Amino acid sequence: MSGGWNWQHVWDSLPTLLEGFLTVTLLVTVVGSVIAAVLGLVLELLRRSAPAPLAALLTFVVNFIRMTPIVVQLMFAYFALLALDPLTIGIVVFGIHYATYMAEVYRAGIDSVPQGQWEATTALSMSRGRTWRAVIVPQAVRATLPSLGNYVISMFKDTPFLIAITVPDMISNALRYGGDHFRFTEVIVVAGVIFLIASYPTSVLIRKLEQRIAFTT
Amino acid sequence: MSSDLSALWTAIPQVLEGLGITVVLTAGGAALAFVIAIVFGLLAGSRALLVRGFARVVIEFFRGTSLVVQLFLFFFVLPRFGIPWLEWPPLVAGILAFGFNYGAYGAEVVRGSITAVPRGQWEASTALSFSPAHRMRRIIIPQAWALMIPSLNNLLIQLLKGTAIVGFITLFDLTVSIEKLRIATDLFFAYSVGLLLYFVLAYILTLGMNALEVRAKHRLGQGESLRDALRFRSPVTRGRTAA
């Protein structure tokens, strides 16, 4: 096998790479992020409102998921639920794994809401539900937007882990093309460039958003 | 369950071998990442545009592309250029990928922590006519170090978890050995053992980093010494210590 660079392999592999990118990489990132954002908030609100033993158990489960590899979790779910479609399993596992990160972010966000806001809702004799819905959560979520964005990018870059459970994402298509043609150089570099093109502008946007939020609060 | 335990007993050498590879990858990757983080973190804070630009390109490349892509780059692509010293074994490819990927994230932490050292500290060391190298070594780095440890701990845990993908490049790590154990026993048993081992490793790393943080803060005159903190009694805090 020789080194060097062959543009032909770039053009030939591009359709299959982009297909994997659109049908798996992007899909998992978008749906997984929505699950993570919603479930993370639910987890954090549960942890705050549940009775102490249940809250302690929930904290342990969240830490356990956070501190063990997502690849191992993917493989575990895949073998436990062989009847289900691997793509669905991938989306759900990514959603749950990142929800445990988001729960921590929401915790910090809720803690950052000034004490005066709580006192004001008491003074206005708002109900507990209304305090959370109308006052605390909107302010907490606003502060967590940059972190959510960073986790979306990091989930995006973790999606190739789906190779472990046979989901044909962009990287697995790249490897298949590489194996068929005994050429890995071009496909892997092109896959890297596609990741860079998608993630770099997003991270720049998030940095801008961060500055704007810091500026207006 | 008892047959599972006997299967685990016979599989222990295999699991230990996998655990060894995971530990070697984590330690090697973390050591390389630490060096890269310090070097590129300092370069990215440089005043020379060319130096800063070079550091930014390297950092953004490794932060912007997937770890899996980089692993394959070091495993499939670089050894095929026909240059003898690039034909490294998979273990080296793994250490390089983890070192560069997490090193790039670490460089941002290092740069951010150095910028976060209060302005007055820089000015005071100039007023005392410290040389730039002396100022970095004696004034800025010790303070930045205490700031960067919590973020570096997060990265270290992520690195440990990231090593679970080296089965892709033919390495026999803990995850692969657990997969072998699953075939000998059953799914829930094997993966419980595997996930617990990862959890324990992550916990040990966190305890070690917490000890480093206590020590770094003590040397800045914040909080008690490590020896005091490890005594069996409730901690005493002197000065400002972050949780």
Side-chain angles (χ1 to χ4, degrees), chain A residues 80-101:
Chain A
L81 307 162
L82 275 176
L84 276 180
D85 164 41
L87 181 61
T88 314
I89 292 174
I91 291 173
V92 172
V93 170
F94 267 99
I96 293 175
H97 189 87
Y98 276 87
T100 61
Y101 295 144

Side-chain angles (χ1 to χ4, degrees), chain A residues 66 71 79-80 101 157 192 199, chain B residues 63-64 66 105 161 165 187:
Chain A
R66 265 158 49 88
V71 182
F79 289 117
Y101 295 144
K157 284 178 293 187
S199 72
Chain B
R63 270 160 40 103
S66 172
Y105 283 98
K161 295 191 297 174
I165 61 172
L187 175 71

